[in-house]
Amino acid sequence: MSTSKNRGLFENIAPILNVKNFAASLEYYENVLGFERGEWVTEDLLIGYVERDGFGIYLSQEGQGHPGTWLWIGLKALDPLYEEFQTAGANIVMEPTNFHWAWEMRIQDPDGHVIRFAAEPREDLPFVA
């Protein structure tokens, strides 16, 4: 990629998810999905940032975003996260599945947002159409 043009370079991309109850969503993302709240986030705010491994998502109580958003999160390895989410009681709406594009599972949060967690496709399993 050429950076010779005088233009801004991306530093971060963070989706904003619309939530009905900020405190409840914050609890789910922290205690079930293993995210940590941003340092300025408290339950009395109606918007906040949660992050995991240096990447984050904004949660906005009935402000920004739309219900039912889908997100893609790329991973180095899916299986350990699948085990973690099973133990934590995450709402797994699709167990790990081997597609041509990824070894992928899907989680649904309390507001109906679907998060697609995916790693490289498995070579030891057939692909699902």
Side-chain angles (χ1 to χ4, degrees), residues 40-55:
W40 54 270
V41 176
T42 61
E43 285 86 359
D44 60 332
L45 294 175
L46 298 180
I47 187 168
Y49 185 76
V50 293
E51 64 184 351
R52 184 171 174 152
D53 301 324
F55 298 94

Side-chain angles (χ1 to χ4, degrees), residues 9-128:
L9 298 176
F10 285 21
E11 181 181 280
N12 186 356
I13 296 176
I16 301 171
L17 299 180
N18 182 288
V19 300
K20 292 177 188 163
N21 182 314
F22 178 74
S25 294
L26 186 61
E27 190 273 332
Y28 184 82
Y29 276 83
E30 286 182 304
N31 297 326
V32 177
L33 300 185
F35 283 76
E36 295 180 4
R37 69 178 69 188
E39 60 184 65
W40 54 270
V41 176
T42 61
E43 285 86 359
D44 60 332
L45 294 175
L46 298 180
I47 187 168
Y49 185 76
V50 293
E51 64 184 351
R52 184 171 174 152
D53 301 324
F55 298 94
I57 299 169
Y58 283 93
L59 305 173
S60 175
Q61 182 170 318
E62 298 190 13
Q64 303 170 32
H66 300 282
T69 298
W70 285 48
L71 304 177
W72 171 279
I73 297 178
L75 308 167
K76 291 184 188 270
L78 176 66
D79 295 332
L81 195 64
Y82 174 62
E83 292 172 16
E84 176 186 328
F85 286 172
Q86 280 185 306
T87 301
N91 182 13
I92 300 169
V93 295
M94 186 184 82
E95 294 191 359
T97 303
N98 203 37
F99 295 105
H100 287 88
W101 58 87
W103 176 234
E104 178 182 326
M105 75 171 162
R106 297 176 188 164
I107 305 294
Q108 188 170 44
D109 79 1
D111 294 288
H113 302 295
V114 176
I115 306 172
R116 297 170 66 175
F117 293 93
E120 290 296 320
R122 297 268 305 260
E123 294 181 12
D124 61 329
L125 296 173
F127 293 124
V128 173

